[in-house]
Amino acid sequence: MANFLDKHREKVVMFNQQYRGKRKLKTTKIDVPENLFTRCPFCQDLILTEAVEANDYVCPYCGKYFQISGRKRLAMLVDPGSFIEYDKKLKTSNPLNFPGYEEKIHKVSLETGENEAFISGKATIDRMNVMIGVLDSHFLMGSMGSVVGEKVTRLIEASITERLPLVIVCASGGARMQEGIFSLMQMAKTAAALARHNDARLFYLSVITHPTTGGVSASFAMLGDIIVAEKDALIGFAGKRVIAQTIKEDLPDHFQTADFLLEKGMLDIVIERKELKQTIVKLLQFHRQEEDHDR
Amino acid sequence: MTGNHSAWEKVQLARHAQRPTAKLLIHTLAPDFLELKGDRCFANDDAIVGGIGTIDKITMTIIAEEKGTTLEEKIRNHFGMPHPEGYRKVMRLVRQAEKFSRPILFLIDTPGAYPGFEAESRGQAEAIASLLRLLFTIKTPIIAVVLSEGGSGGALAIGIADYILMLENATYSILSPEGFAAILYKDASLANKVADDMKLTADDLFAYGIIDEIIPEAAGGWHIDNYTPLSALQTKITEKARSLLQLDPKTLLENRQARYRRYGIYVEDKT
């Protein structure tokens, strides 16, 4: 991997010099396919998109993690071609008749190509069957309204019915404001389903990624039998801005990071993105063995 | 319903400086109330008052968010905003209630769970999440009353119940109107404008089936006449506790599950 990137790094540097040089001259236009390069939002370096993908969407230069869509996250974790999507036909309505909400959903749907902020279904991970769901932070901050809450609940129920382990990858700003009290009630609904899941003695692995706050962290994200968080993820209940505004406390730099929560005893494991899949596989294997003993 | 207050006026009434707090209700309805403190892990959180008391011959575990009435008390109670140790005290007391088959009474009055460094350090999200899940397994009747302010997850955490009453001018919402306006419009001062759209009044929540019954207040609010809602509450709470105690624990839990399972409004395409 290192060699591969080193090789490309040279090309990128060369390209940068070439491209920037030509642009200043404004004489010839180079025919560069769109999306060939990606700019790192952290260090601003230009990177071959291919190299970003091959590196699990981690910047090869500065090591920071790109926020990725639900589909990309899913593709990183499940065996290729194994995913069967559930509840695709659930769509958002406007329960409170909140001004501008429908338009907003419509716009975000077009931008992301998704109906809602949660993608769920059945898949295999290293040939083990799982129920898996992924929150998409690109869709209204991965916020939880009626549809997300319903899909999460149905996934938990499918996991109970089929007696399969449950994996949920979280990335959410919390409950969705525009659906008001209905969003708040999704916290109760998902927690209720997890109480049944717990009674059924099934494994629930919660994977927390950047950012996970509010009503999602205060419901299913924090209820995993095992909670694994991705390095550098922001995790908390109240938003940093809210805390700063209402309390006027000085907050340490690493406040609400995965490492901060690990230190405080709130997480089992904090892990690099590139090690996430193998860790999930290992945890699924541990729990598969347990099930076999039962039979 | 009496009174024609706007949503924003109700927000003001629910927060009125002279509005009674849970303390008054507890001491009036359960004069023998004995407070039980502490989460057995870290501390006692005065934002949540818990204990045992008898309401009309029914011994109940009573758990309330208490904002405090004097300034000193308000500061000590963090204005009714619980820390994780408060929710962990609730977990201890509801398990105790279940062990001794006591019905549980929750009294909700909070702007929200405390947003601060200490609260986050001790796992505010984990405490609320675990309490939510626990309440779906507690095999004893739970009755909740939204007394004044029902703010966000901090209110919901003691809002899982088999029967939910709400005072006429109380509010119950995903977030305070200030927080809501700050998140959606980056301007907390628009709170009075968004209050109406938030659908946070007792009438709204009754129409949505989130609460079961509205308890009238005197014209002008609870602070004008302390006792108007209290006698109605005493009747309703004991009536409901008695009828819920008739259910076998399995049915009780199934009904509680079913109640929360149906919340949510969405469209499902048939094609």
Side-chain angles (χ1 to χ4, degrees), chain A residues 1 4-5 8 12 33-41 46-61 64-69 71-77 230 273-275 277:
Chain A
M1 178 62 81
F4 169 77
L5 288 172
H8 284 286
V12 171
E34 232 184 291
N35 301 332
L36 179 64
F37 287 85
T38 301
R39 191 177 288 281
C40 171
L46 269 182
I47 319 148
L48 266 175
T49 302
E50 222 174 73
V52 177
E53 283 167 11
N55 203 31
D56 292 332
Y57 304 92
V58 179
C59 175
Y61 301 125
K64 288 266 173 60
Y65 291 10
F66 288 32
Q67 242 171 293
I68 54 178
S69 71
R71 294 280 163 197
K72 281 179 182 163
R73 173 67 72 176
L74 205 55
M76 274 171 53
L77 298 179
E230 208 170 64
R273 185 175 282 172
K274 64 177 188 299
E275 288 161 8
K277 181 167 178 174

Side-chain angles (χ1 to χ4, degrees), chain A residues 87 89-93 95-99 104 146-147 150 153-154 157 175-189 191-196 198-199 217-219 222-223 235-238 241-243 245-247 249 251-252 255-256 260 264 266, chain B residues 81 88 113-118 120-126 128-134 136-137 150-156 160 172-175 179-180 182-186 188 194 197-199 205 208 210 257 260-271:
Chain A
D87 303 315
K89 286 162 189 162
L90 283 192
K91 287 185 181 151
T92 313
S93 69
L96 304 187
N97 288 316
F98 196 82
K104 196 157 196 170
S146 297
V147 171
E150 181 66 22
T153 304
R154 288 189 189 184
E157 287 166 348
R176 187 172 299 165
M177 293 299 133
Q178 293 92 336
E179 293 188 34
I181 199 76
F182 290 103
S183 298
L184 191 70
M185 290 301 145
Q186 303 312 308
M187 295 170 64
K189 188 162 95 180
L194 284 173
R196 281 181 277 146
N198 201 40
D199 285 346
S217 71
S219 60
M222 278 294 169
L223 292 175
I235 310 164
F237 176 64
R241 212 177 39 179
V242 177
I243 296 172
Q245 268 175 12
T246 57
I247 308 302
E249 281 180 17
L251 302 167
F255 181 60
Q256 292 185 326
F260 176 83
K264 300 295 178 191
M266 296 301 147
Chain B
M81 293 185 277
R88 290 181 182 128
Y114 192 87
F117 178 79
E118 293 287 317
E120 296 287 323
S121 300
R122 294 196 289 275
Q124 189 71 285
E126 191 278 337
I128 293 172
S130 295
L131 178 54
L132 287 174
R133 184 176 61 185
L134 174 70
F136 285 99
T137 65
S152 86
L156 179 71
I160 306 300
Y172 190 8
S173 56
I174 185 167
L175 202 58
F180 190 95
I183 286 187
L184 278 188
Y185 307 110
K186 310 263 177 280
V194 300
D197 290 334
M198 288 177 72
K199 307 284 188 336
L205 299 172
Y208 292 144
I210 305 287
Q257 279 274 353
Y260 289 86
R261 181 65 189 83
R262 65 167 197 263
Y263 289 144
I265 295 179
Y266 49 84
V267 189
E268 188 157 21
D269 286 353
K270 293 282 177 281
T271 47

Side-chain angles (χ1 to χ4, degrees), chain A residues 96 181, chain B residues 1 4-11 14 146 148 150 166-174 177 194-211 214:
Chain A
L96 304 187
I181 199 76
Chain B
M1 284 291 100
N4 300 306
H5 300 294
S6 70
W8 181 244
E9 282 163 357
K10 289 193 177 196
V11 170
V146 187
S148 301
M166 184 162 172
L167 261 56
E168 184 189 337
N169 293 313
T171 61
Y172 190 8
S173 56
I174 185 167
V194 300
D196 210 35
D197 290 334
M198 288 177 72
K199 307 284 188 336
L200 44 64
T201 68
D203 288 332
D204 293 325
L205 299 172
F206 182 75
Y208 292 144
I210 305 287
I211 61 157
I214 302 173

Side-chain angles (χ1 to χ4, degrees), chain A:
Chain A
M1 178 62 81
N3 287 339
F4 169 77
L5 288 172
D6 286 342
K7 230 160 58 189
H8 284 286
R9 189 169 294 142
E10 277 170 33
K11 280 189 191 169
V12 171
V13 172
M14 271 173 59
F15 180 84
N16 268 344
Q17 289 166 348
Q18 241 180 342
Y19 179 65
R20 282 171 188 157
K22 292 258 164 124
R23 197 169 52 171
K24 268 178 208 154
L25 290 173
K26 279 183 185 172
T27 47
T28 47
K29 201 177 168 193
I30 327 169
D31 191 18
V32 185
E34 232 184 291
N35 301 332
L36 179 64
F37 287 85
T38 301
R39 191 177 288 281
C40 171
F42 304 99
C43 68
Q44 309 297 325
D45 247 316
L46 269 182
I47 319 148
L48 266 175
T49 302
E50 222 174 73
V52 177
E53 283 167 11
N55 203 31
D56 292 332
Y57 304 92
V58 179
C59 175
Y61 301 125
C62 69
K64 288 266 173 60
Y65 291 10
F66 288 32
Q67 242 171 293
I68 54 178
S69 71
R71 294 280 163 197
K72 281 179 182 163
R73 173 67 72 176
L74 205 55
M76 274 171 53
L77 298 179
V78 304
D79 299 339
S82 73
F83 182 67
I84 303 158
E85 189 167 351
Y86 288 176
D87 303 315
K88 262 195 278 193
K89 286 162 189 162
L90 283 192
K91 287 185 181 151
T92 313
S93 69
N94 189 355
L96 304 187
N97 288 316
F98 196 82
Y101 184 43
E102 278 130 338
E103 292 77 10
K104 196 157 196 170
I105 290 288
H106 183 69
K107 187 168 161 262
V108 179
S109 299
L110 287 179
E111 281 166 14
T112 57
E114 304 290 349
N115 274 348
E116 254 295 347
F118 190 67
I119 304 163
S120 60
K122 187 178 172 176
T124 62
I125 296 178
D126 200 23
R127 283 164 293 148
M128 288 175 281
N129 283 316
V130 292
M131 290 297 170
I132 185 165
V134 179
L135 275 157
D136 194 338
S137 63
H138 291 60
F139 195 103
L140 288 182
M141 278 296 290
S143 57
M144 172 163 65
S146 297
V147 171
V148 170
E150 181 66 22
K151 286 177 93 170
V152 170
T153 304
R154 288 189 189 184
L155 187 71
I156 297 166
E157 287 166 348
S159 162
I160 298 170
T161 312
E162 297 205 30
R163 295 205 61 81
L164 288 177
L166 171 69
V167 180
I168 298 181
V169 185
C170 299
S172 172
R176 187 172 299 165
M177 293 299 133
Q178 293 92 336
E179 293 188 34
I181 199 76
F182 290 103
S183 298
L184 191 70
M185 290 301 145
Q186 303 312 308
M187 295 170 64
K189 188 162 95 180
T190 54
L194 284 173
R196 281 181 277 146
H197 193 265
N198 201 40
D199 285 346
R201 300 181 65 204
L202 293 161
F203 179 49
Y204 167 35
L205 171 62
S206 172
V207 178
I208 304 186
T209 69
H210 179 78
T212 297
T213 58
V216 167
S217 71
S219 60
F220 58 88
M222 278 294 169
L223 292 175
D225 293 300
I226 291 173
I227 309 176
V228 176
E230 208 170 64
K231 195 191 82 168
D232 290 343
L234 171 87
I235 310 164
F237 176 64
K240 220 170 174 169
R241 212 177 39 179
V242 177
I243 296 172
Q245 268 175 12
T246 57
I247 308 302
K248 298 181 171 61
E249 281 180 17
D250 279 334
L251 302 167
D253 285 345
H254 77 313
F255 181 60
Q256 292 185 326
T257 61
D259 281 331
F260 176 83
L261 270 87
L262 186 73
E263 181 190 304
K264 300 295 178 191
M266 296 301 147
L267 304 171
D268 290 285
I269 300 165
V270 173
I271 204 146
E272 297 271 355
R273 185 175 282 172
K274 64 177 188 299
E275 288 161 8
L276 181 60
K277 181 167 178 174
Q278 70 196 55
T279 306
I280 293 175
V281 168
K282 203 168 181 180
L283 288 168
L284 289 172
Q285 279 167 347
F286 283 147
H287 290 84
R288 184 178 61 176
Q289 280 167 357
E290 250 173 53
E291 268 185 22
D292 289 344
H293 288 311
D294 281 349
R295 277 179 201 140

